[in-house]
Amino acid sequence: MNRALLIIDVQPDFCEGGALAVAGGNLVAAGIAEDVRSRRESYAAIATTQDWHIDPGTHFSQTPDFVDSWPVHCVAGTAGAALHPQVAGLDVDAHFAKGRFAAAYSGFEARRIDPAADLADESGALLGDWLKRRGIEAVDVVGLAADHCVRATALDAAAAGFATTVLAPLTAAVSPQNMPAVNEQLRAAGVTVLTLG
């Protein structure tokens, strides 16, 4: 079965010291880098996604509720929106960006980035179409944050017909106390959640 690794939103703004830090984000970045270097041949393709906000409307708020609205983060073209240094140098096949002009949680809302294109360009292929064109049948999902963008990506992957696995040790959550319920939702949707336990 052709398998791809989806590295979701491992960006400085989501790691310690960033605008919307997730505890453990830097450790997740290091763990993903180590995993890719040791198991690159396991994957027919590897793709990254990035939050890449230009004007995402009410997704940004001065008084965020941390459910539908958030502090300003991952502004397109800034250092906080770049790939984490641990991930940026990895051997990956494509990079995808999401959320330029709206909230976007799932990697399946992301479009392939052309490094030479304008920051606002949205002409690239959608992640799901790119995976299908490459004959991918299964995906492993890692990254940040487990209870938001990783969760949304995994649910959309399963709904699109991919055999989907979340590698929980290579994720970190905004609200770790919610992860049992999140994992239950994922499993109910047919997603395999691999944990250390």
Side-chain angles (χ1 to χ4, degrees):
M1 185 174 286
N2 282 340
R3 181 174 298 273
L5 178 67
L6 306 183
I7 303 173
I8 306 301
D9 298 2
V10 183
Q11 300 167 260
D13 268 357
F14 293 138
C15 296
E16 290 84 350
L20 193 53
V22 177
N26 286 322
L27 280 174
V28 164
I32 290 169
E34 181 180 345
D35 189 61
V36 169
R37 283 191 291 266
S38 66
R39 299 192 316 117
R40 178 62 178 90
E41 70 284 352
S42 301
Y43 294 107
I46 297 180
T48 66
T49 70
Q50 291 161 261
D51 258 14
W52 195 249
H53 297 311
I54 295 173
D55 182 11
T58 57
H59 186 62
F60 283 174
S61 174
Q62 297 302 314
T63 56
D65 63 14
F66 296 93
V67 177
D68 297 310
S69 60
W70 305 87
V72 174
H73 61 278
C74 296
V75 173
T78 66
L83 287 172
H84 190 285
Q86 291 270 11
V87 172
L90 295 175
D91 175 20
V92 304
D93 298 288
H95 305 287
F96 292 79
K98 59 187 174 67
R100 288 175 178 85
F101 301 106
Y105 294 93
S106 171
F108 283 79
E109 299 175 75
R111 291 186 176 274
R112 190 168 185 183
I113 301 171
D114 176 354
D118 183 270
L119 293 179
D121 181 68
E122 292 197 284
S123 63
L126 286 165
L127 174 60
D129 294 337
W130 181 83
L131 292 168
K132 287 177 180 174
R133 280 202 300 271
R134 294 179 73 95
I136 299 299
E137 302 161 284
V139 295
D140 289 350
V141 187
V142 299
L144 304 170
D147 44 346
H148 293 281
C149 295
V150 169
R151 168 182 131 339
T153 301
L155 290 172
D156 280 355
F162 297 100
T164 304
T165 303
V166 171
L167 305 181
L170 298 179
T171 70
V174 173
S175 302
Q177 69 275 13
N178 293 339
M179 285 312 299
V182 169
N183 289 339
E184 185 177 332
Q185 179 190 24
L186 290 169
R187 290 180 174 119
V191 175
T192 300
V193 180
L194 293 184
T195 63
L196 289 173

